[in-house]
Amino acid sequence: MSRLIVIALRMLIWLLLSADPELLNVAIGLAVSLALPLPRRVRALSPGQFWRALGDSVTALPQAYSQAARLLLHRRLEESVVHDEPARVGGRASSVLVFLDVFRITLTPFTIALGLEGGGRRYRVHELVFEEKER
Amino acid sequence: MTLLVFGMVLALLLPILVVCRRTDVWHRLAAFASVSTKVAMVMLVVSVVRDDWMVGLVGVIVLSVGNGAVMLLANLLQGVEG
Amino acid sequence: MSGELLADAPGVLAALAQGASAVLLGLGLLFWFAGSWPLLGRASYLTKLHYLGISDTLGSALMLLGLLLRFQREWPLLVLALLSLVVWNTIFGYVLAACSQPRRRP
């Protein structure tokens, strides 16, 4: 599954960069993306996990815009904290899943991932929170 | 569209100002990253305005490779400091 | 009557796309200014990275969407730019934050 994703990504980049849907061009792109070296060892990744993580990342996009608007409207009120967020896939997760999780956390403007801790069991997350003292 | 390009160049001046003023290397690195993205975006806008494929191609390459270079630099800096 | 309306539809659609594209471009520029302005202040490094994420990732993505709505010849390039911008800049914010961390941890 991981290898399939890598190859699909290479094909996508090739097609968009050359913008030429002829058969010869597609064949060249396929040959190049198969010929480039693949990662030697990959951890298991089930399609269900992958699609769920991808869906979460995509739904994080509109969330990111609403958070950005909120942050820009109350710009003086924030303070920053660092806390831990448990990773959803415990133990040794596939690198694709870790990538998508870090992407999801960092894309939203209130949170930035700082790293993976405890052997991949939780993320360190830096978060902006509003001070609630007035009103 | 000319107004848009002017506005973008004006926004580009902000991180350049930061780079000229700050002494902390991490702030400077973040500002340089911002400059890299913004320059690539200006190139893309110009390419669409002029309907020029090649300028757009260069913009995309700057966007992806430039960010990768700054990322490498950040890793190197952490190694030097740590 | 309806035939005329149908014949006029592409023109209306194009005008609508132009307007939406102008709005998106302006919004993106607003995000750029709003996100870059805190860089000048005295906020902490990580806070600035949050704002930089707004301006560079989300603002630029809005601008690219605005450019895409113009239906120019360059759309594959713009899609590629959108993809690489969102992925690279997000991961880049993470790398900058994570790399600066050991030094700043008490």
mmCIF file of all heavy atoms in Angstrom, chain B residues 7-8 14 21-22 24 26-27 33-34 37-38 44 51-52 56-57 60 63 67 70-71 75 78 81, chain C residues 32-33 36 40-42 45 48 56 60 63 72-74 77 81 88-89 92 96 99 102-104:
data_model
loop_
_atom_site.group_PDB
_atom_site.id
_atom_site.type_symbol
_atom_site.label_atom_id
_atom_site.label_comp_id
_atom_site.label_asym_id
_atom_site.label_seq_id
_atom_site.Cartn_x
_atom_site.Cartn_y
_atom_site.Cartn_z
ATOM 1 N N GLY B 7 0.665 44.991 -4.226
ATOM 2 C CA GLY B 7 0.370 44.587 -2.849
ATOM 3 C C GLY B 7 1.246 43.436 -2.410
ATOM 4 O O GLY B 7 1.741 43.400 -1.289
ATOM 5 N N MET B 8 1.461 42.477 -3.323
ATOM 6 C CA MET B 8 2.286 41.328 -2.977
ATOM 7 C C MET B 8 3.722 41.749 -2.706
ATOM 8 O O MET B 8 4.366 41.264 -1.769
ATOM 9 C CB MET B 8 2.231 40.297 -4.106
ATOM 10 C CG MET B 8 0.914 39.592 -4.196
ATOM 11 S SD MET B 8 0.791 38.569 -5.640
ATOM 12 C CE MET B 8 1.316 37.019 -5.002
ATOM 13 N N LEU B 14 7.818 43.019 4.181
ATOM 14 C CA LEU B 14 7.747 42.815 5.630
ATOM 15 C C LEU B 14 8.790 41.806 6.125
ATOM 16 O O LEU B 14 9.589 42.146 6.999
ATOM 17 C CB LEU B 14 6.338 42.363 6.026
ATOM 18 C CG LEU B 14 5.256 43.438 6.081
ATOM 19 C CD1 LEU B 14 3.917 42.810 6.384
ATOM 20 C CD2 LEU B 14 5.590 44.457 7.124
ATOM 21 N N ARG B 21 16.614 43.168 10.425
ATOM 22 C CA ARG B 21 16.633 43.708 11.780
ATOM 23 C C ARG B 21 17.022 42.687 12.830
ATOM 24 O O ARG B 21 17.780 42.984 13.733
ATOM 25 C CB ARG B 21 15.252 44.259 12.095
ATOM 26 C CG ARG B 21 15.273 45.325 13.120
ATOM 27 C CD ARG B 21 13.869 45.766 13.419
ATOM 28 N NE ARG B 21 13.064 44.653 13.896
ATOM 29 C CZ ARG B 21 11.806 44.780 14.292
ATOM 30 N NH1 ARG B 21 11.219 45.941 14.236
ATOM 31 N NH2 ARG B 21 11.134 43.746 14.731
ATOM 32 N N ARG B 22 16.509 41.453 12.714
ATOM 33 C CA ARG B 22 16.677 40.476 13.780
ATOM 34 C C ARG B 22 18.102 39.991 13.872
ATOM 35 O O ARG B 22 18.818 39.947 12.867
ATOM 36 C CB ARG B 22 15.781 39.274 13.515
ATOM 37 C CG ARG B 22 14.352 39.529 13.812
ATOM 38 C CD ARG B 22 14.112 39.309 15.263
ATOM 39 N NE ARG B 22 12.785 39.818 15.599
ATOM 40 C CZ ARG B 22 12.332 39.886 16.831
ATOM 41 N NH1 ARG B 22 13.106 39.511 17.819
ATOM 42 N NH2 ARG B 22 11.144 40.333 17.067
ATOM 43 N N ASP B 24 18.494 37.020 16.034
ATOM 44 C CA ASP B 24 18.285 35.611 16.330
ATOM 45 C C ASP B 24 18.177 34.821 15.034
ATOM 46 O O ASP B 24 17.407 35.168 14.141
ATOM 47 C CB ASP B 24 16.998 35.458 17.154
ATOM 48 C CG ASP B 24 16.810 34.028 17.617
ATOM 49 O OD1 ASP B 24 17.612 33.186 17.198
ATOM 50 O OD2 ASP B 24 15.875 33.777 18.385
ATOM 51 N N TRP B 26 16.972 31.870 14.342
ATOM 52 C CA TRP B 26 15.746 31.129 14.025
ATOM 53 C C TRP B 26 14.693 32.047 13.456
ATOM 54 O O TRP B 26 13.999 31.700 12.506
ATOM 55 C CB TRP B 26 15.216 30.411 15.255
ATOM 56 C CG TRP B 26 16.053 29.241 15.605
ATOM 57 C CD1 TRP B 26 16.965 29.169 16.604
ATOM 58 C CD2 TRP B 26 16.105 27.980 14.924
ATOM 59 N NE1 TRP B 26 17.570 27.945 16.592
ATOM 60 C CE2 TRP B 26 17.058 27.199 15.580
ATOM 61 C CE3 TRP B 26 15.429 27.452 13.824
ATOM 62 C CZ2 TRP B 26 17.356 25.904 15.170
ATOM 63 C CZ3 TRP B 26 15.725 26.175 13.424
ATOM 64 C CH2 TRP B 26 16.674 25.413 14.091
ATOM 65 N N HIS B 27 14.573 33.244 14.044
ATOM 66 C CA HIS B 27 13.634 34.201 13.474
ATOM 67 C C HIS B 27 14.014 34.527 12.038
ATOM 68 O O HIS B 27 13.173 34.664 11.162
ATOM 69 C CB HIS B 27 13.638 35.491 14.290
ATOM 70 C CG HIS B 27 12.941 35.363 15.601
ATOM 71 N ND1 HIS B 27 13.594 34.974 16.735
ATOM 72 C CD2 HIS B 27 11.658 35.558 15.946
ATOM 73 C CE1 HIS B 27 12.730 34.938 17.728
ATOM 74 N NE2 HIS B 27 11.549 35.284 17.287
ATOM 75 N N ALA B 33 12.191 31.776 4.965
ATOM 76 C CA ALA B 33 11.230 30.831 4.405
ATOM 77 C C ALA B 33 10.041 31.578 3.839
ATOM 78 O O ALA B 33 9.542 31.269 2.744
ATOM 79 C CB ALA B 33 10.773 29.870 5.497
ATOM 80 N N SER B 34 9.583 32.583 4.596
ATOM 81 C CA SER B 34 8.456 33.377 4.131
ATOM 82 C C SER B 34 8.796 34.076 2.817
ATOM 83 O O SER B 34 7.995 34.095 1.882
ATOM 84 C CB SER B 34 8.099 34.386 5.213
ATOM 85 O OG SER B 34 7.048 35.171 4.818
ATOM 86 N N THR B 37 8.632 31.571 -0.137
ATOM 87 C CA THR B 37 7.278 31.261 -0.599
ATOM 88 C C THR B 37 6.676 32.441 -1.343
ATOM 89 O O THR B 37 6.041 32.280 -2.388
ATOM 90 C CB THR B 37 6.397 30.914 0.597
ATOM 91 O OG1 THR B 37 7.050 29.925 1.358
ATOM 92 C CG2 THR B 37 5.069 30.410 0.151
ATOM 93 N N LYS B 38 6.887 33.633 -0.794
ATOM 94 C CA LYS B 38 6.231 34.794 -1.380
ATOM 95 C C LYS B 38 6.776 35.116 -2.762
ATOM 96 O O LYS B 38 6.016 35.476 -3.671
ATOM 97 C CB LYS B 38 6.374 35.985 -0.446
ATOM 98 C CG LYS B 38 5.451 35.816 0.734
ATOM 99 C CD LYS B 38 5.479 36.956 1.679
ATOM 100 C CE LYS B 38 4.325 36.806 2.618
ATOM 101 N NZ LYS B 38 4.664 36.999 3.998
ATOM 102 N N LEU B 44 4.298 33.086 -9.839
ATOM 103 C CA LEU B 44 3.129 32.408 -10.408
ATOM 104 C C LEU B 44 2.089 33.415 -10.877
ATOM 105 O O LEU B 44 1.493 33.263 -11.955
ATOM 106 C CB LEU B 44 2.528 31.474 -9.368
ATOM 107 C CG LEU B 44 3.197 30.117 -9.286
ATOM 108 C CD1 LEU B 44 2.702 29.339 -8.102
ATOM 109 C CD2 LEU B 44 2.933 29.355 -10.555
ATOM 110 N N ASP B 51 0.369 35.087 -19.152
ATOM 111 C CA ASP B 51 0.060 33.864 -19.880
ATOM 112 C C ASP B 51 1.332 33.209 -20.405
ATOM 113 O O ASP B 51 1.453 32.896 -21.580
ATOM 114 C CB ASP B 51 -0.915 34.160 -21.031
ATOM 115 C CG ASP B 51 -1.611 32.882 -21.468
ATOM 116 O OD1 ASP B 51 -1.482 31.883 -20.745
ATOM 117 O OD2 ASP B 51 -2.256 32.884 -22.512
ATOM 118 N N ASP B 52 2.295 33.049 -19.510
ATOM 119 C CA ASP B 52 3.602 32.531 -19.888
ATOM 120 C C ASP B 52 3.855 31.226 -19.139
ATOM 121 O O ASP B 52 3.941 31.200 -17.918
ATOM 122 C CB ASP B 52 4.680 33.570 -19.532
ATOM 123 C CG ASP B 52 6.015 33.197 -20.123
ATOM 124 O OD1 ASP B 52 6.211 32.010 -20.442
ATOM 125 O OD2 ASP B 52 6.866 34.087 -20.271
ATOM 126 N N GLY B 56 5.812 30.237 -15.116
ATOM 127 C CA GLY B 56 5.069 29.456 -14.140
ATOM 128 C C GLY B 56 5.820 28.213 -13.716
ATOM 129 O O GLY B 56 5.842 27.853 -12.540
ATOM 130 N N LEU B 57 6.465 27.562 -14.682
ATOM 131 C CA LEU B 57 7.251 26.357 -14.376
ATOM 132 C C LEU B 57 8.370 26.687 -13.399
ATOM 133 O O LEU B 57 8.579 25.989 -12.404
ATOM 134 C CB LEU B 57 7.812 25.793 -15.677
ATOM 135 C CG LEU B 57 8.360 24.380 -15.620
ATOM 136 C CD1 LEU B 57 7.257 23.428 -15.245
ATOM 137 C CD2 LEU B 57 8.946 23.997 -16.944
ATOM 138 N N VAL B 60 6.947 27.158 -9.930
ATOM 139 C CA VAL B 60 6.644 25.905 -9.224
ATOM 140 C C VAL B 60 7.917 25.267 -8.701
ATOM 141 O O VAL B 60 7.972 24.785 -7.558
ATOM 142 C CB VAL B 60 5.899 24.945 -10.160
ATOM 143 C CG1 VAL B 60 5.810 23.570 -9.558
ATOM 144 C CG2 VAL B 60 4.504 25.457 -10.421
ATOM 145 N N LEU B 63 9.140 27.105 -5.752
ATOM 146 C CA LEU B 63 8.264 26.849 -4.611
ATOM 147 C C LEU B 63 8.636 25.551 -3.918
ATOM 148 O O LEU B 63 8.744 25.489 -2.689
ATOM 149 C CB LEU B 63 6.817 26.789 -5.096
ATOM 150 C CG LEU B 63 5.741 26.813 -4.042
ATOM 151 C CD1 LEU B 63 5.812 28.108 -3.300
ATOM 152 C CD2 LEU B 63 4.384 26.666 -4.686
ATOM 153 N N ASN B 67 11.760 25.651 -0.661
ATOM 154 C CA ASN B 67 11.333 25.252 0.676
ATOM 155 C C ASN B 67 12.141 24.067 1.174
ATOM 156 O O ASN B 67 12.509 24.016 2.345
ATOM 157 C CB ASN B 67 9.851 24.890 0.660
ATOM 158 C CG ASN B 67 9.000 26.087 0.974
ATOM 159 O OD1 ASN B 67 9.500 27.064 1.508
ATOM 160 N ND2 ASN B 67 7.737 26.008 0.651
ATOM 161 N N VAL B 70 15.512 25.314 2.513
ATOM 162 C CA VAL B 70 15.491 25.943 3.835
ATOM 163 C C VAL B 70 15.284 24.885 4.917
ATOM 164 O O VAL B 70 15.832 24.974 6.012
ATOM 165 C CB VAL B 70 14.394 27.021 3.892
ATOM 166 C CG1 VAL B 70 14.424 27.714 5.223
ATOM 167 C CG2 VAL B 70 14.615 28.022 2.805
ATOM 168 N N MET B 71 14.498 23.851 4.583
ATOM 169 C CA MET B 71 14.269 22.767 5.524
ATOM 170 C C MET B 71 15.577 22.060 5.859
ATOM 171 O O MET B 71 15.880 21.777 7.026
ATOM 172 C CB MET B 71 13.317 21.776 4.867
ATOM 173 C CG MET B 71 12.392 21.107 5.774
ATOM 174 S SD MET B 71 10.898 20.807 4.887
ATOM 175 C CE MET B 71 10.897 19.073 4.876
ATOM 176 N N ASN B 75 17.634 21.670 9.561
ATOM 177 C CA ASN B 75 18.179 20.439 10.137
ATOM 178 C C ASN B 75 19.652 20.590 10.453
ATOM 179 O O ASN B 75 20.136 20.170 11.493
ATOM 180 C CB ASN B 75 17.986 19.287 9.145
ATOM 181 C CG ASN B 75 16.687 18.576 9.387
ATOM 182 O OD1 ASN B 75 16.372 18.250 10.512
ATOM 183 N ND2 ASN B 75 15.924 18.365 8.348
ATOM 184 N N GLN B 78 20.232 22.704 13.516
ATOM 185 C CA GLN B 78 19.972 21.978 14.750
ATOM 186 C C GLN B 78 21.162 21.087 15.090
ATOM 187 O O GLN B 78 21.568 20.992 16.250
ATOM 188 C CB GLN B 78 18.718 21.131 14.589
ATOM 189 C CG GLN B 78 18.298 20.466 15.867
ATOM 190 C CD GLN B 78 17.298 19.367 15.612
ATOM 191 O OE1 GLN B 78 17.249 18.813 14.505
ATOM 192 N NE2 GLN B 78 16.508 19.060 16.598
ATOM 193 N N GLU B 81 23.957 23.266 16.514
ATOM 194 C CA GLU B 81 23.705 23.800 17.856
ATOM 195 C C GLU B 81 23.616 22.717 18.914
ATOM 196 O O GLU B 81 23.946 22.940 20.064
ATOM 197 C CB GLU B 81 22.400 24.596 17.857
ATOM 198 C CG GLU B 81 22.553 25.936 17.203
ATOM 199 C CD GLU B 81 21.344 26.778 17.425
ATOM 200 O OE1 GLU B 81 20.307 26.205 17.801
ATOM 201 O OE2 GLU B 81 21.441 27.988 17.218
ATOM 202 N N TRP C 32 -1.952 37.484 3.778
ATOM 203 C CA TRP C 32 -0.501 37.702 3.738
ATOM 204 C C TRP C 32 -0.100 38.814 4.695
ATOM 205 O O TRP C 32 0.812 38.658 5.487
ATOM 206 C CB TRP C 32 -0.083 38.098 2.325
ATOM 207 C CG TRP C 32 0.358 36.958 1.481
ATOM 208 C CD1 TRP C 32 -0.056 35.668 1.589
ATOM 209 C CD2 TRP C 32 1.282 37.003 0.412
ATOM 210 N NE1 TRP C 32 0.554 34.927 0.634
ATOM 211 C CE2 TRP C 32 1.379 35.704 -0.090
ATOM 212 C CE3 TRP C 32 2.038 38.026 -0.168
ATOM 213 C CZ2 TRP C 32 2.206 35.400 -1.156
ATOM 214 C CZ3 TRP C 32 2.861 37.722 -1.244
ATOM 215 C CH2 TRP C 32 2.948 36.417 -1.722
ATOM 216 N N PHE C 33 -0.805 39.942 4.593
ATOM 217 C CA PHE C 33 -0.432 41.066 5.450
ATOM 218 C C PHE C 33 -0.674 40.728 6.907
ATOM 219 O O PHE C 33 0.172 40.972 7.768
ATOM 220 C CB PHE C 33 -1.228 42.313 5.063
ATOM 221 C CG PHE C 33 -0.589 43.078 3.964
ATOM 222 C CD1 PHE C 33 -1.145 43.114 2.710
ATOM 223 C CD2 PHE C 33 0.600 43.760 4.190
ATOM 224 C CE1 PHE C 33 -0.537 43.806 1.686
ATOM 225 C CE2 PHE C 33 1.208 44.450 3.179
ATOM 226 C CZ PHE C 33 0.633 44.480 1.914
ATOM 227 N N SER C 36 1.910 38.231 8.164
ATOM 228 C CA SER C 36 3.311 38.659 8.192
ATOM 229 C C SER C 36 3.546 39.760 9.214
ATOM 230 O O SER C 36 4.663 39.954 9.661
ATOM 231 C CB SER C 36 3.743 39.179 6.823
ATOM 232 O OG SER C 36 3.616 38.184 5.868
ATOM 233 N N LEU C 40 7.044 41.256 12.835
ATOM 234 C CA LEU C 40 7.760 42.451 13.255
ATOM 235 C C LEU C 40 7.715 42.638 14.762
ATOM 236 O O LEU C 40 8.523 43.357 15.320
ATOM 237 C CB LEU C 40 7.143 43.688 12.589
ATOM 238 C CG LEU C 40 7.367 43.785 11.096
ATOM 239 C CD1 LEU C 40 6.508 44.878 10.517
ATOM 240 C CD2 LEU C 40 8.819 44.097 10.820
ATOM 241 N N GLY C 41 6.744 41.989 15.433
ATOM 242 C CA GLY C 41 6.556 42.237 16.855
ATOM 243 C C GLY C 41 7.517 41.450 17.712
ATOM 244 O O GLY C 41 8.496 40.880 17.233
ATOM 245 N N ARG C 42 7.216 41.392 19.001
ATOM 246 C CA ARG C 42 8.103 40.724 19.952
ATOM 247 C C ARG C 42 7.532 39.406 20.441
ATOM 248 O O ARG C 42 7.868 38.957 21.523
ATOM 249 C CB ARG C 42 8.351 41.632 21.150
ATOM 250 C CG ARG C 42 9.051 42.904 20.821
ATOM 251 C CD ARG C 42 10.536 42.772 21.078
ATOM 252 N NE ARG C 42 11.249 43.898 20.457
ATOM 253 C CZ ARG C 42 12.359 43.735 19.758
ATOM 254 N NH1 ARG C 42 12.861 42.552 19.574
ATOM 255 N NH2 ARG C 42 12.961 44.777 19.236
ATOM 256 N N TYR C 45 8.835 32.769 19.297
ATOM 257 C CA TYR C 45 9.127 32.187 17.996
ATOM 258 C C TYR C 45 8.001 31.277 17.503
ATOM 259 O O TYR C 45 7.579 31.363 16.347
ATOM 260 C CB TYR C 45 10.425 31.401 18.126
ATOM 261 C CG TYR C 45 10.834 30.642 16.920
ATOM 262 C CD1 TYR C 45 11.192 31.324 15.762
ATOM 263 C CD2 TYR C 45 10.875 29.264 16.921
ATOM 264 C CE1 TYR C 45 11.582 30.625 14.655
ATOM 265 C CE2 TYR C 45 11.263 28.564 15.817
ATOM 266 C CZ TYR C 45 11.613 29.247 14.688
ATOM 267 O OH TYR C 45 11.981 28.553 13.591
ATOM 268 N N LYS C 48 4.988 33.133 16.289
ATOM 269 C CA LYS C 48 5.202 33.662 14.938
ATOM 270 C C LYS C 48 5.043 32.583 13.888
ATOM 271 O O LYS C 48 4.548 32.849 12.797
ATOM 272 C CB LYS C 48 6.604 34.258 14.852
ATOM 273 C CG LYS C 48 6.679 35.582 15.537
ATOM 274 C CD LYS C 48 8.022 36.183 15.398
ATOM 275 C CE LYS C 48 8.058 37.491 16.113
ATOM 276 N NZ LYS C 48 9.393 38.059 16.095
ATOM 277 N N ASP C 56 1.423 32.168 4.903
ATOM 278 C CA ASP C 56 2.072 31.545 3.752
ATOM 279 C C ASP C 56 1.300 30.358 3.214
ATOM 280 O O ASP C 56 1.224 30.183 2.002
ATOM 281 C CB ASP C 56 3.494 31.127 4.124
ATOM 282 C CG ASP C 56 4.406 32.309 4.066
ATOM 283 O OD1 ASP C 56 3.927 33.388 3.691
ATOM 284 O OD2 ASP C 56 5.583 32.165 4.396
ATOM 285 N N SER C 60 -1.643 31.899 0.620
ATOM 286 C CA SER C 60 -1.179 31.571 -0.727
ATOM 287 C C SER C 60 -2.100 30.576 -1.395
ATOM 288 O O SER C 60 -2.304 30.644 -2.615
ATOM 289 C CB SER C 60 0.241 31.022 -0.663
ATOM 290 O OG SER C 60 1.081 31.942 -0.032
ATOM 291 N N MET C 63 -4.872 32.472 -2.858
ATOM 292 C CA MET C 63 -4.445 33.147 -4.088
ATOM 293 C C MET C 63 -4.399 32.185 -5.255
ATOM 294 O O MET C 63 -4.835 32.515 -6.367
ATOM 295 C CB MET C 63 -3.059 33.739 -3.893
ATOM 296 C CG MET C 63 -3.077 35.058 -3.220
ATOM 297 S SD MET C 63 -1.434 35.697 -3.240
ATOM 298 C CE MET C 63 -1.723 37.207 -2.395
ATOM 299 N N GLN C 72 -6.967 29.701 -17.011
ATOM 300 C CA GLN C 72 -5.897 29.966 -17.967
ATOM 301 C C GLN C 72 -5.319 28.645 -18.464
ATOM 302 O O GLN C 72 -5.690 27.572 -17.994
ATOM 303 C CB GLN C 72 -4.788 30.779 -17.307
ATOM 304 C CG GLN C 72 -5.223 32.171 -16.920
ATOM 305 C CD GLN C 72 -5.038 33.143 -18.056
ATOM 306 O OE1 GLN C 72 -4.626 32.740 -19.136
ATOM 307 N NE2 GLN C 72 -5.356 34.396 -17.822
ATOM 308 N N ARG C 73 -4.378 28.758 -19.392
ATOM 309 C CA ARG C 73 -3.731 27.583 -19.951
ATOM 310 C C ARG C 73 -2.877 26.870 -18.903
ATOM 311 O O ARG C 73 -2.578 25.694 -19.044
ATOM 312 C CB ARG C 73 -2.838 28.062 -21.095
ATOM 313 C CG ARG C 73 -2.604 27.119 -22.204
ATOM 314 C CD ARG C 73 -2.084 27.904 -23.392
ATOM 315 N NE ARG C 73 -1.115 28.916 -23.001
ATOM 316 C CZ ARG C 73 0.195 28.728 -23.008
ATOM 317 N NH1 ARG C 73 0.689 27.575 -23.374
ATOM 318 N NH2 ARG C 73 1.019 29.700 -22.653
ATOM 319 N N GLU C 74 -2.463 27.591 -17.860
ATOM 320 C CA GLU C 74 -1.479 27.034 -16.922
ATOM 321 C C GLU C 74 -2.086 26.199 -15.809
ATOM 322 O O GLU C 74 -1.447 26.011 -14.792
ATOM 323 C CB GLU C 74 -0.663 28.155 -16.278
ATOM 324 C CG GLU C 74 0.354 28.803 -17.167
ATOM 325 C CD GLU C 74 -0.227 30.004 -17.853
ATOM 326 O OE1 GLU C 74 -1.428 30.244 -17.642
ATOM 327 O OE2 GLU C 74 0.506 30.672 -18.580
ATOM 328 N N LEU C 77 0.005 23.453 -13.917
ATOM 329 C CA LEU C 77 1.056 24.032 -13.078
ATOM 330 C C LEU C 77 0.480 24.584 -11.787
ATOM 331 O O LEU C 77 1.052 24.418 -10.712
ATOM 332 C CB LEU C 77 1.755 25.161 -13.827
ATOM 333 C CG LEU C 77 2.888 24.778 -14.739
ATOM 334 C CD1 LEU C 77 3.579 26.021 -15.233
ATOM 335 C CD2 LEU C 77 3.865 23.913 -13.997
ATOM 336 N N ALA C 81 1.322 23.525 -8.067
ATOM 337 C CA ALA C 81 1.782 24.522 -7.104
ATOM 338 C C ALA C 81 0.935 24.469 -5.838
ATOM 339 O O ALA C 81 1.463 24.545 -4.727
ATOM 340 C CB ALA C 81 1.719 25.917 -7.716
ATOM 341 N N TRP C 88 4.292 21.195 1.407
ATOM 342 C CA TRP C 88 5.626 21.631 1.792
ATOM 343 C C TRP C 88 5.575 22.638 2.934
ATOM 344 O O TRP C 88 6.291 22.515 3.909
ATOM 345 C CB TRP C 88 6.344 22.305 0.629
ATOM 346 C CG TRP C 88 7.219 21.423 -0.161
ATOM 347 C CD1 TRP C 88 7.067 21.137 -1.467
ATOM 348 C CD2 TRP C 88 8.391 20.721 0.267
ATOM 349 N NE1 TRP C 88 8.057 20.289 -1.870
ATOM 350 C CE2 TRP C 88 8.882 20.028 -0.825
ATOM 351 C CE3 TRP C 88 9.054 20.625 1.474
ATOM 352 C CZ2 TRP C 88 10.014 19.246 -0.761
ATOM 353 C CZ3 TRP C 88 10.182 19.840 1.543
ATOM 354 C CH2 TRP C 88 10.652 19.158 0.439
ATOM 355 N N ASN C 89 4.714 23.638 2.815
ATOM 356 C CA ASN C 89 4.747 24.690 3.806
ATOM 357 C C ASN C 89 4.299 24.180 5.162
ATOM 358 O O ASN C 89 4.833 24.604 6.183
ATOM 359 C CB ASN C 89 3.846 25.842 3.369
ATOM 360 C CG ASN C 89 4.670 27.014 2.958
ATOM 361 O OD1 ASN C 89 5.850 27.070 3.271
ATOM 362 N ND2 ASN C 89 4.068 27.932 2.269
ATOM 363 N N PHE C 92 6.996 22.127 6.542
ATOM 364 C CA PHE C 92 8.097 23.036 6.797
ATOM 365 C C PHE C 92 7.929 23.756 8.127
ATOM 366 O O PHE C 92 8.884 23.911 8.895
ATOM 367 C CB PHE C 92 8.121 24.012 5.649
ATOM 368 C CG PHE C 92 9.140 25.045 5.796
ATOM 369 C CD1 PHE C 92 10.462 24.706 5.713
ATOM 370 C CD2 PHE C 92 8.780 26.326 6.028
ATOM 371 C CE1 PHE C 92 11.404 25.662 5.873
ATOM 372 C CE2 PHE C 92 9.723 27.282 6.181
ATOM 373 C CZ PHE C 92 11.035 26.951 6.109
ATOM 374 N N LEU C 96 10.597 23.494 11.186
ATOM 375 C CA LEU C 96 11.183 24.664 11.849
ATOM 376 C C LEU C 96 10.886 24.632 13.340
ATOM 377 O O LEU C 96 11.744 24.944 14.161
ATOM 378 C CB LEU C 96 10.613 25.946 11.246
ATOM 379 C CG LEU C 96 11.371 26.524 10.067
ATOM 380 C CD1 LEU C 96 10.799 27.854 9.693
ATOM 381 C CD2 LEU C 96 12.834 26.674 10.391
ATOM 382 N N CYS C 99 12.900 21.630 14.987
ATOM 383 C CA CYS C 99 14.344 21.801 15.016
ATOM 384 C C CYS C 99 14.765 22.853 16.031
ATOM 385 O O CYS C 99 15.850 22.801 16.580
ATOM 386 C CB CYS C 99 14.867 22.201 13.632
ATOM 387 S SG CYS C 99 14.925 20.846 12.491
ATOM 388 N N PRO C 102 15.015 21.668 20.934
ATOM 389 C CA PRO C 102 15.894 21.242 22.026
ATOM 390 C C PRO C 102 16.604 22.416 22.694
ATOM 391 O O PRO C 102 16.815 22.400 23.891
ATOM 392 C CB PRO C 102 16.908 20.337 21.322
ATOM 393 C CG PRO C 102 16.231 19.894 20.108
ATOM 394 C CD PRO C 102 15.338 21.002 19.693
ATOM 395 N N ARG C 103 16.923 23.405 21.917
ATOM 396 C CA ARG C 103 17.624 24.553 22.461
ATOM 397 C C ARG C 103 16.724 25.346 23.405
ATOM 398 O O ARG C 103 17.176 25.939 24.376
ATOM 399 C CB ARG C 103 18.052 25.445 21.320
ATOM 400 C CG ARG C 103 19.110 26.439 21.669
ATOM 401 C CD ARG C 103 19.540 27.101 20.398
ATOM 402 N NE ARG C 103 18.419 27.787 19.779
ATOM 403 C CZ ARG C 103 18.251 29.094 19.853
ATOM 404 N NH1 ARG C 103 19.084 29.827 20.514
ATOM 405 N NH2 ARG C 103 17.226 29.664 19.259
ATOM 406 N N ARG C 104 15.433 25.363 23.090
ATOM 407 C CA ARG C 104 14.530 26.213 23.851
ATOM 408 C C ARG C 104 13.885 25.478 25.017
ATOM 409 O O ARG C 104 13.233 26.090 25.836
ATOM 410 C CB ARG C 104 13.433 26.729 22.934
ATOM 411 C CG ARG C 104 14.015 27.671 21.931
ATOM 412 C CD ARG C 104 13.041 28.121 20.915
ATOM 413 N NE ARG C 104 13.717 29.097 20.071
ATOM 414 C CZ ARG C 104 13.710 30.384 20.326
ATOM 415 N NH1 ARG C 104 13.071 30.857 21.359
ATOM 416 N NH2 ARG C 104 14.356 31.220 19.546
#
